[in-house]
Amino acid sequence: MFHEVRFPPALSRGSSGGPERRTEIVTLANGYEERNAPWSQSRRRYDAGVAMRSMDDIEALIAFFEARQGQLYGFRWKDWADYRSCAPSGVISETDQVVGLGDGDSLTFGLAKNYRSGAYVHRREVTKPVAATVKVAVGGDLLSEGVDYTLDLTTGLIVLVSAPPAGMEVTAGFEFDVPVRFDTDRIAVSVASFQAGDVPSVPVVEVRV
């Protein structure tokens, strides 16, 4: 269950968090290790509490928490450290990310961000693009939304009007949110402690959608 609403960006801006991996490690009798990764994708975790700066922020947090019924409903989260298809100092371009290759038949392509380090590339599926930020191109030619393709903002799927020829790159640039939920059904706030600089812990965890 998911609400297509974004946690207030002004409150998430000062939060802490990032990607988490799960690696199973077994040390053998000879000292060597066997490592296995049961997750193909990272799962991101954040703490919204550290961004609270005033009692007005706390009130906005509690209102958002109650509307989501605690952990029940997921929501959108802006990860200020990683929310665009390009570098933080760059400008979004329709050629930022290769999201697929044409085969002459396929019309549907999912948005994705590719993380490169040397010869290695990790592909992250993007399911929550931000409205009015997405640019799509085929073979480097910018397409027009509503004319050349349609975009589902709830899944990140692009549906082209015409199938690209075999081997032709389908690229995109965009901003995106992370689908998350609260990782607690309880928010404990002490006004006296908050005024003294003690902020509440409000864990948030990424969900698969």
Side-chain angles (χ1 to χ4, degrees):
M1 296 183 288
F2 196 89
H3 287 172
E4 291 291 339
V5 60
R6 178 192 268 180
F7 187 82
L11 299 186
S12 65
R13 187 178 182 88
S15 64
S16 63
E20 174 189 45
R21 286 280 180 175
R22 174 167 293 179
T23 307
E24 298 173 345
I25 302 174
V26 176
T27 302
L28 306 178
N30 58 9
Y32 285 89
E33 290 182 343
E34 288 187 353
R35 295 184 293 274
N36 180 55
W39 294 355
S40 62
Q41 297 284 328
S42 296
R43 191 181 195 191
R44 283 154 175 81
R45 290 184 178 274
Y46 308 95
D47 189 344
V50 297
M52 302 297 110
R53 297 178 178 85
S54 68
M55 289 307 300
D56 286 348
D57 289 348
I58 294 293
E59 182 177 9
L61 167 66
I62 292 174
F64 194 91
F65 179 85
E66 291 286 21
R68 307 288 85 74
Q69 298 182 43
Q71 300 183 82
L72 186 60
Y73 289 96
F75 53 93
R76 288 173 172 255
W77 175 275
K78 184 172 184 176
D79 181 346
W80 286 90
D82 186 8
Y83 69 96
R84 305 204 302 170
S85 58
C86 60
S89 59
V91 177
I92 292 175
S93 165
E94 63 273 13
T95 58
D96 282 345
Q97 303 290 329
V98 176
V99 299
L101 294 176
D103 59 10
D105 294 313
S106 298
L107 296 173
T108 303
F109 298 86
L111 292 177
K113 183 172 181 179
N114 301 298
Y115 296 82
R116 291 182 172 82
S117 178
Y120 299 93
V121 179
H122 172 70
R123 178 183 173 91
R124 176 186 179 187
E125 304 299 325
V126 172
T127 60
K128 299 297 177 185
V130 177
T133 70
V134 180
K135 299 179 180 181
V136 178
V138 172
D141 294 329
L142 180 64
L143 303 184
S144 176
E145 184 177 359
V147 177
D148 302 311
Y149 71 94
T150 57
L151 169 67
D152 189 336
L153 293 172
T154 66
T155 64
L157 293 179
I158 302 164
V159 180
L160 302 177
V161 172
S162 301
M168 184 169 286
E169 288 186 344
V170 180
T171 58
F174 45 84
E175 289 187 8
F176 62 96
D177 291 328
V178 182
V180 300
R181 64 167 171 80
F182 288 109
D183 199 23
T184 181
D185 273 327
R186 177 175 180 266
I187 293 180
V189 178
S190 166
V191 174
S193 297
F194 181 77
Q195 291 174 340
D198 184 18
V199 297
S201 175
V202 187
V204 174
V205 64
E206 184 176 4
V207 294
R208 309 292 189 210
V209 292

Coordinates of all heavy atoms in Angstrom, one line a residue, residues 35-111:
R35 N 31.5 -15.5 0.1 CA 30.6 -14.3 0.2 C 29.4 -14.5 -0.7 O 29.6 -14.8 -1.9 CB 31.3 -13.0 0.0 CG 32.4 -12.8 1.1 CD 33.0 -11.4 0.9 NE 33.8 -11.3 -0.3 CZ 35.1 -11.6 -0.4 NH1 35.7 -12.2 0.6 NH2 35.7 -11.5 -1.6
N36 N 28.2 -14.2 -0.2 CA 27.0 -14.2 -1.0 C 26.2 -13.0 -0.8 O 26.1 -12.5 0.4 CB 26.2 -15.5 -0.7 CG 25.0 -15.6 -1.5 OD1 25.0 -15.6 -2.7 ND2 23.8 -15.7 -0.9
A37 N 25.6 -12.5 -1.8 CA 24.7 -11.3 -1.7 C 23.3 -11.7 -2.0 O 22.9 -11.8 -3.2 CB 25.2 -10.2 -2.6
P38 N 22.4 -11.9 -1.0 CA 21.0 -12.3 -1.3 C 20.2 -11.2 -1.9 O 19.1 -11.4 -2.5 CB 20.5 -12.7 0.1 CG 21.4 -12.0 1.1 CD 22.7 -11.9 0.4
W39 N 20.6 -9.9 -1.8 CA 19.9 -8.8 -2.4 C 20.6 -8.3 -3.7 O 21.8 -8.1 -3.7 CB 19.9 -7.6 -1.4 CG 19.1 -7.8 -0.2 CD1 18.4 -8.8 0.2 CD2 19.0 -6.8 0.9 NE1 17.8 -8.6 1.5 CE2 18.2 -7.4 1.9 CE3 19.6 -5.6 1.2 CZ2 17.9 -6.8 3.1 CZ3 19.3 -4.9 2.3 CH2 18.5 -5.5 3.3
S40 N 19.8 -8.2 -4.7 CA 20.4 -7.7 -6.0 C 20.5 -6.2 -6.0 O 21.2 -5.6 -6.7 CB 19.6 -8.2 -7.2 OG 18.3 -7.6 -7.1
Q41 N 19.6 -5.6 -5.1 CA 19.6 -4.1 -5.0 C 19.8 -3.7 -3.6 O 19.5 -4.4 -2.6 CB 18.2 -3.6 -5.5 CG 17.9 -3.9 -6.9 CD 18.6 -3.0 -7.9 OE1 18.9 -1.8 -7.6 NE2 18.9 -3.5 -9.1
S42 N 20.4 -2.5 -3.4 CA 20.5 -1.9 -2.1 C 19.2 -1.5 -1.5 O 18.2 -1.4 -2.3 CB 21.4 -0.6 -2.2 OG 22.7 -0.9 -2.6
R43 N 19.1 -1.4 -0.2 CA 17.9 -1.0 0.4 C 18.4 0.2 1.3 O 19.2 0.1 2.1 CB 17.3 -2.0 1.3 CG 15.9 -1.7 1.9 CD 15.4 -2.8 2.8 NE 13.9 -2.6 3.0 CZ 13.2 -3.3 3.8 NH1 13.8 -4.2 4.6 NH2 11.9 -3.1 4.0
R44 N 17.7 1.4 1.0 CA 18.2 2.6 1.7 C 17.4 2.8 3.0 O 16.2 2.5 3.1 CB 18.0 3.8 0.7 CG 19.1 3.8 -0.3 CD 18.7 4.5 -1.6 NE 19.9 4.6 -2.5 CZ 20.3 3.6 -3.2 NH1 19.7 2.4 -3.2 NH2 21.4 3.7 -4.0
R45 N 18.2 3.4 3.9 CA 17.6 3.7 5.2 C 17.9 5.2 5.6 O 19.0 5.7 5.2 CB 18.2 2.8 6.3 CG 17.7 1.4 6.3 CD 18.2 0.5 7.4 NE 17.7 -0.8 7.4 CZ 16.5 -1.2 7.9 NH1 15.8 -0.3 8.5 NH2 16.1 -2.5 7.8
Y46 N 17.0 5.8 6.3 CA 17.2 7.2 6.6 C 16.7 7.5 8.0 O 15.9 6.7 8.6 CB 16.5 8.2 5.7 CG 16.8 7.9 4.2 CD1 15.9 7.1 3.4 CD2 17.9 8.5 3.6 CE1 16.2 6.8 2.1 CE2 18.1 8.2 2.2 CZ 17.3 7.4 1.5 OH 17.6 7.2 0.2
D47 N 17.1 8.6 8.6 CA 16.6 9.0 9.9 C 16.1 10.5 9.7 O 16.9 11.4 9.5 CB 17.6 9.0 11.0 CG 17.0 9.2 12.4 OD1 15.9 9.7 12.4 OD2 17.7 8.9 13.4
A48 N 14.8 10.6 9.7 CA 14.2 11.9 9.5 C 14.3 12.8 10.7 O 14.2 14.0 10.6 CB 12.7 11.8 9.1
G49 N 14.5 12.2 11.8 CA 14.5 13.0 13.1 C 15.6 14.0 13.2 O 15.4 15.1 13.7
V50 N 16.8 13.7 12.6 CA 17.9 14.7 12.7 C 17.7 16.0 12.0 O 18.4 16.9 12.2 CB 19.2 14.0 12.3 CG1 19.5 12.8 13.1 CG2 19.1 13.6 10.8
A51 N 16.7 16.0 11.1 CA 16.4 17.2 10.3 C 15.4 18.2 11.0 O 15.2 19.3 10.5 CB 15.8 16.8 8.9
M52 N 14.9 17.7 12.1 CA 13.9 18.6 12.8 C 14.6 19.8 13.5 O 15.5 19.6 14.3 CB 13.1 17.8 13.9 CG 12.4 16.6 13.4 SD 11.1 16.9 12.2 CE 11.8 16.3 10.7
R53 N 14.1 21.0 13.2 CA 14.8 22.2 13.7 C 13.9 23.1 14.6 O 14.3 24.0 15.2 CB 15.3 23.0 12.6 CG 16.4 22.3 11.8 CD 16.9 23.2 10.6 NE 18.0 22.5 9.9 CZ 17.8 21.6 8.9 NH1 16.5 21.3 8.6 NH2 18.8 21.1 8.3
S54 N 12.6 22.8 14.6 CA 11.6 23.6 15.3 C 10.4 22.7 15.7 O 10.2 21.6 15.1 CB 11.2 24.8 14.5 OG 10.4 24.4 13.4
M55 N 9.6 23.2 16.6 CA 8.4 22.5 16.9 C 7.4 22.5 15.8 O 6.6 21.6 15.7 CB 7.7 23.2 18.2 CG 8.5 22.9 19.5 SD 8.8 21.2 19.8 CE 7.2 20.5 19.9
D56 N 7.5 23.5 14.9 CA 6.7 23.5 13.7 C 7.0 22.3 12.8 O 6.2 21.6 12.2 CB 6.8 24.8 12.9 CG 6.1 25.9 13.5 OD1 5.3 25.7 14.4 OD2 6.3 27.1 13.1
D57 N 8.4 22.0 12.7 CA 8.8 20.8 12.0 C 8.3 19.5 12.6 O 7.9 18.6 11.9 CB 10.3 20.7 12.0 CG 11.0 21.8 11.1 OD1 10.2 22.5 10.3 OD2 12.2 22.0 11.2
I58 N 8.3 19.5 13.9 CA 7.8 18.3 14.7 C 6.3 18.1 14.4 O 5.8 17.0 14.1 CB 8.0 18.4 16.2 CG1 9.5 18.4 16.5 CG2 7.3 17.3 16.9 CD1 10.2 17.1 16.2
E59 N 5.5 19.2 14.4 CA 4.1 19.1 14.1 C 3.9 18.6 12.7 O 3.0 17.8 12.4 CB 3.4 20.5 14.2 CG 1.9 20.5 14.0 CD 1.3 21.8 14.3 OE1 2.0 22.8 14.4 OE2 0.0 21.8 14.3
A60 N 4.7 19.1 11.7 CA 4.5 18.6 10.3 C 4.9 17.2 10.2 O 4.2 16.4 9.5 CB 5.4 19.5 9.4
L61 N 5.9 16.7 10.9 CA 6.3 15.3 10.9 C 5.1 14.5 11.5 O 4.8 13.4 10.9 CB 7.5 15.1 11.8 CG 7.9 13.7 12.1 CD1 8.3 12.9 10.9 CD2 9.0 13.7 13.2
I62 N 4.6 14.9 12.6 CA 3.5 14.1 13.2 C 2.3 14.0 12.3 O 1.7 12.9 12.2 CB 3.1 14.6 14.6 CG1 4.3 14.4 15.6 CG2 1.9 14.0 15.2 CD1 4.1 15.1 16.9
A63 N 1.9 15.1 11.7 CA 0.8 15.1 10.7 C 1.0 14.1 9.6 O 0.1 13.3 9.2 CB 0.6 16.5 10.2
F64 N 2.3 14.1 9.0 CA 2.6 13.2 7.9 C 2.6 11.8 8.4 O 2.1 10.9 7.7 CB 4.0 13.6 7.4 CG 4.3 12.9 6.1 CD1 4.0 13.6 4.9 CD2 4.9 11.7 6.0 CE1 4.3 13.0 3.7 CE2 5.2 11.1 4.8 CZ 4.9 11.7 3.6
F65 N 3.1 11.5 9.6 CA 3.1 10.2 10.2 C 1.7 9.7 10.4 O 1.4 8.5 10.1 CB 3.9 10.3 11.5 CG 4.0 9.0 12.3 CD1 5.0 8.0 12.0 CD2 3.1 8.7 13.3 CE1 5.1 6.8 12.7 CE2 3.2 7.5 14.0 CZ 4.2 6.6 13.7
E66 N 0.8 10.5 10.9 CA -0.5 10.0 11.2 C -1.3 9.8 9.9 O -2.0 8.8 9.8 CB -1.3 11.1 12.0 CG -0.8 11.3 13.4 CD -1.3 10.1 14.3 OE1 -1.6 9.0 13.8 OE2 -1.3 10.3 15.6
A67 N -1.0 10.6 8.9 CA -1.7 10.4 7.6 C -1.3 9.1 6.9 O -2.0 8.5 6.2 CB -1.4 11.6 6.6
R68 N 0.0 8.7 7.2 CA 0.5 7.4 6.7 C 0.1 6.2 7.6 O 0.5 5.1 7.3 CB 2.0 7.4 6.5 CG 2.5 8.6 5.7 CD 2.3 8.5 4.2 NE 1.0 9.0 3.8 CZ 0.6 10.3 3.8 NH1 1.5 11.3 4.1 NH2 -0.6 10.7 3.4
Q69 N -0.5 6.5 8.7 CA -0.8 5.5 9.7 C 0.4 4.7 10.1 O 0.4 3.4 10.1 CB -1.9 4.6 9.2 CG -3.2 5.3 8.9 CD -4.3 4.4 8.4 OE1 -4.5 3.3 9.0 NE2 -5.1 4.8 7.4
G70 N 1.4 5.4 10.5 CA 2.7 4.8 10.9 C 3.3 4.0 9.7 O 3.6 4.6 8.7
Q71 N 3.6 2.7 9.9 CA 4.3 1.9 8.9 C 3.4 1.4 7.8 O 3.8 0.8 6.9 CB 4.9 0.7 9.6 CG 5.9 1.0 10.7 CD 6.6 -0.2 11.3 OE1 7.5 -0.8 10.7 NE2 6.1 -0.7 12.4
L72 N 2.0 1.7 7.9 CA 1.1 1.0 7.0 C 1.3 1.5 5.6 O 1.3 0.6 4.7 CB -0.3 1.3 7.5 CG -1.4 0.6 6.7 CD1 -1.3 -0.9 6.8 CD2 -2.8 1.1 7.2
Y73 N 1.4 2.8 5.3 CA 1.4 3.2 3.9 C 2.8 3.8 3.6 O 3.4 4.6 4.4 CB 0.4 4.3 3.7 CG -1.0 3.8 3.7 CD1 -1.8 3.9 4.8 CD2 -1.6 3.3 2.5 CE1 -3.1 3.4 4.8 CE2 -2.9 2.8 2.5 CZ -3.6 2.9 3.7 OH -4.9 2.4 3.6
G74 N 3.3 3.4 2.4 CA 4.6 3.9 1.9 C 4.4 5.3 1.4 O 3.2 5.8 1.2
F75 N 5.5 6.0 1.1 CA 5.4 7.3 0.5 C 6.7 7.6 -0.2 O 7.7 6.9 -0.2 CB 5.2 8.3 1.6 CG 6.1 8.3 2.8 CD1 7.3 9.0 2.9 CD2 5.9 7.4 3.9 CE1 8.2 9.0 3.9 CE2 6.8 7.3 4.9 CZ 7.9 8.1 5.0
R76 N 6.8 8.8 -0.8 CA 8.0 9.2 -1.6 C 8.9 10.0 -0.6 O 8.5 10.7 0.2 CB 7.6 10.1 -2.7 CG 6.9 9.4 -3.9 CD 6.4 10.4 -4.9 NE 5.9 9.8 -6.1 CZ 6.6 9.8 -7.3 NH1 7.8 10.4 -7.4 NH2 6.1 9.3 -8.4
W77 N 10.2 9.8 -0.9 CA 11.2 10.4 -0.1 C 12.3 11.0 -1.0 O 12.8 10.3 -1.9 CB 11.9 9.4 0.8 CG 13.0 9.9 1.6 CD1 14.3 9.9 1.2 CD2 13.0 10.4 3.0 NE1 15.1 10.4 2.3 CE2 14.3 10.7 3.3 CE3 12.0 10.6 3.9 CZ2 14.7 11.3 4.6 CZ3 12.3 11.1 5.1 CH2 13.7 11.5 5.5
K78 N 12.7 12.2 -0.9 CA 13.7 12.8 -1.7 C 15.1 12.6 -0.9 O 15.3 13.2 0.1 CB 13.5 14.3 -1.9 CG 14.5 15.0 -2.8 CD 14.1 16.4 -3.1 CE 15.1 17.0 -4.1 NZ 14.7 18.4 -4.6
D79 N 15.9 11.9 -1.6 CA 17.3 11.6 -1.0 C 18.2 12.7 -1.6 O 18.6 12.6 -2.7 CB 17.8 10.2 -1.4 CG 19.1 9.9 -0.9 OD1 19.8 10.8 -0.4 OD2 19.5 8.7 -1.0
W80 N 18.5 13.7 -0.8 CA 19.2 14.9 -1.3 C 20.6 14.5 -1.8 O 21.2 15.3 -2.5 CB 19.2 16.0 -0.2 CG 17.9 16.7 -0.1 CD1 16.9 16.3 0.8 CD2 17.4 17.8 -0.8 NE1 15.8 17.2 0.6 CE2 16.1 18.1 -0.3 CE3 18.0 18.6 -1.8 CZ2 15.4 19.2 -0.8 CZ3 17.3 19.7 -2.3 CH2 16.0 20.0 -1.8
A81 N 21.1 13.4 -1.4 CA 22.4 13.0 -1.8 C 22.4 12.3 -3.1 O 23.5 12.1 -3.8 CB 23.1 12.1 -0.7
D82 N 21.2 11.8 -3.6 CA 21.1 11.0 -4.8 C 19.7 11.1 -5.3 O 18.9 10.2 -5.0 CB 21.6 9.6 -4.5 CG 21.7 8.7 -5.8 OD1 21.5 9.3 -6.9 OD2 21.9 7.5 -5.7
Y83 N 19.4 12.1 -6.1 CA 18.0 12.2 -6.6 C 17.9 12.6 -8.1 O 16.8 12.9 -8.6 CB 17.2 13.2 -5.8 CG 17.6 14.7 -5.9 CD1 17.0 15.5 -6.8 CD2 18.7 15.2 -5.2 CE1 17.3 16.8 -7.0 CE2 19.1 16.5 -5.3 CZ 18.4 17.3 -6.2 OH 18.8 18.6 -6.4
R84 N 19.1 12.6 -8.8 CA 19.1 13.0 -10.2 C 19.8 12.0 -11.0 O 20.7 11.3 -10.5 CB 19.7 14.4 -10.3 CG 19.0 15.5 -9.5 CD 19.2 16.8 -10.0 NE 20.6 17.2 -10.2 CZ 20.9 18.3 -10.8 NH1 20.0 19.1 -11.4 NH2 22.2 18.6 -10.9
S85 N 19.5 12.0 -12.3 CA 20.2 11.1 -13.2 C 21.6 11.6 -13.6 O 22.4 10.8 -14.2 CB 19.4 11.0 -14.5 OG 19.2 12.3 -15.1
C86 N 21.9 12.8 -13.3 CA 23.3 13.3 -13.6 C 24.0 13.6 -12.3 O 23.5 13.4 -11.2 CB 23.1 14.6 -14.4 SG 22.2 15.9 -13.6
A87 N 25.2 14.1 -12.5 CA 26.0 14.5 -11.3 C 25.4 15.7 -10.6 O 24.6 16.5 -11.2 CB 27.5 14.9 -11.7
P88 N 25.6 15.8 -9.3 CA 25.0 16.9 -8.5 C 25.2 18.3 -9.1 O 24.4 19.2 -9.0 CB 25.6 16.8 -7.1 CG 26.0 15.3 -7.0 CD 26.4 14.9 -8.4
S89 N 26.4 18.5 -9.7 CA 26.7 19.8 -10.3 C 26.3 19.9 -11.7 O 26.5 21.0 -12.3 CB 28.2 20.0 -10.2 OG 28.9 19.0 -10.9
G90 N 25.7 18.9 -12.3 CA 25.3 18.9 -13.7 C 23.9 19.3 -14.0 O 23.2 19.7 -13.0
V91 N 23.5 19.3 -15.2 CA 22.2 19.7 -15.7 C 21.6 18.5 -16.3 O 22.2 17.8 -17.1 CB 22.2 20.9 -16.7 CG1 20.8 21.2 -17.2 CG2 22.9 22.1 -16.1
I92 N 20.4 18.1 -15.9 CA 19.7 17.0 -16.4 C 19.6 17.0 -18.0 O 19.2 18.0 -18.5 CB 18.3 16.8 -15.8 CG1 18.4 16.5 -14.3 CG2 17.5 15.7 -16.5 CD1 17.1 16.4 -13.6
S93 N 20.0 15.9 -18.6 CA 19.9 15.8 -20.1 C 19.2 14.5 -20.4 O 19.3 13.5 -19.7 CB 21.4 15.8 -20.6 OG 21.4 15.4 -22.0
E94 N 18.6 14.5 -21.6 CA 17.9 13.3 -22.1 C 18.8 12.1 -22.4 O 18.4 11.0 -22.6 CB 17.1 13.6 -23.3 CG 17.9 14.1 -24.6 CD 18.2 15.6 -24.6 OE1 18.0 16.2 -23.5 OE2 18.6 16.1 -25.6
T95 N 20.2 12.4 -22.4 CA 21.1 11.3 -22.7 C 21.9 10.9 -21.4 O 22.9 10.2 -21.5 CB 22.1 11.7 -23.7 OG1 22.8 12.9 -23.3 CG2 21.4 12.0 -25.1
D96 N 21.4 11.3 -20.2 CA 22.1 11.0 -19.0 C 22.3 9.5 -18.8 O 23.4 9.0 -18.4 CB 21.4 11.5 -17.8 CG 21.6 13.0 -17.6 OD1 22.5 13.6 -18.2 OD2 20.8 13.6 -16.8
Q97 N 21.2 8.7 -18.9 CA 21.2 7.3 -18.6 C 20.7 6.4 -19.7 O 19.7 6.8 -20.3 CB 20.4 7.0 -17.3 CG 20.8 7.8 -16.1 CD 22.1 7.3 -15.5 OE1 22.5 6.1 -15.7 NE2 22.9 8.2 -14.9
V98 N 21.4 5.3 -20.0 CA 20.9 4.4 -21.0 C 19.9 3.5 -20.3 O 20.2 2.8 -19.3 CB 22.0 3.5 -21.6 CG1 21.4 2.5 -22.6 CG2 23.0 4.4 -22.4
V99 N 18.6 3.5 -20.7 CA 17.6 2.7 -20.0 C 17.2 1.5 -20.8 O 16.5 0.6 -20.3 CB 16.3 3.6 -19.7 CG1 16.7 4.7 -18.8 CG2 15.7 4.0 -21.0
G100 N 17.7 1.4 -22.0 CA 17.4 0.2 -22.8 C 17.9 0.3 -24.2 O 18.4 1.3 -24.6
L101 N 17.9 -0.9 -24.9 CA 18.3 -0.9 -26.3 C 17.1 -1.4 -27.1 O 16.4 -2.4 -26.7 CB 19.5 -1.9 -26.5 CG 20.8 -1.4 -25.9 CD1 21.9 -2.5 -26.1 CD2 21.3 -0.1 -26.5
G102 N 16.9 -0.8 -28.3 CA 15.8 -1.2 -29.1 C 16.0 -2.6 -29.7 O 17.2 -3.0 -29.9
D103 N 14.9 -3.3 -30.0 CA 15.0 -4.6 -30.7 C 14.1 -4.7 -31.9 O 13.9 -5.7 -32.5 CB 14.7 -5.7 -29.7 CG 13.4 -5.7 -29.1 OD1 12.5 -4.8 -29.5 OD2 13.1 -6.4 -28.2
G104 N 13.5 -3.5 -32.2 CA 12.6 -3.5 -33.3 C 11.1 -3.8 -32.9 O 10.2 -3.6 -33.8
D105 N 10.9 -4.3 -31.7 CA 9.6 -4.7 -31.3 C 9.1 -4.0 -30.0 O 8.0 -3.7 -29.8 CB 9.5 -6.2 -31.1 CG 9.6 -6.9 -32.5 OD1 9.0 -6.5 -33.4 OD2 10.4 -7.9 -32.5
S106 N 10.1 -4.0 -29.0 CA 9.7 -3.5 -27.7 C 9.4 -2.0 -27.6 O 10.0 -1.2 -28.3 CB 10.9 -3.8 -26.7 OG 11.2 -5.1 -26.6
L107 N 8.3 -1.7 -26.9 CA 7.8 -0.3 -26.7 C 8.0 0.2 -25.3 O 8.0 1.4 -25.1 CB 6.3 -0.2 -27.1 CG 6.0 -0.5 -28.6 CD1 4.5 -0.5 -28.7 CD2 6.6 0.5 -29.5
T108 N 8.1 -0.7 -24.3 CA 8.1 -0.4 -22.9 C 9.5 -0.5 -22.4 O 10.2 -1.5 -22.5 CB 7.2 -1.3 -22.1 OG1 5.9 -1.1 -22.7 CG2 7.1 -0.8 -20.7
F109 N 10.0 0.6 -21.7 CA 11.3 0.6 -21.1 C 11.1 1.3 -19.7 O 10.4 2.2 -19.5 CB 12.3 1.5 -21.9 CG 12.5 0.9 -23.3 CD1 11.7 1.2 -24.3 CD2 13.6 0.0 -23.5 CE1 11.9 0.7 -25.6 CE2 13.8 -0.5 -24.8 CZ 12.9 -0.2 -25.8
G110 N 11.9 0.7 -18.7 CA 11.8 1.2 -17.4 C 13.0 2.2 -17.1 O 14.1 1.9 -17.5
L111 N 12.7 3.3 -16.4 CA 13.7 4.2 -16.0 C 14.7 3.5 -15.1 O 14.4 2.7 -14.3 CB 13.2 5.4 -15.4 CG 12.3 6.4 -16.2 CD1 11.8 7.5 -15.4 CD2 13.1 6.9 -17.4

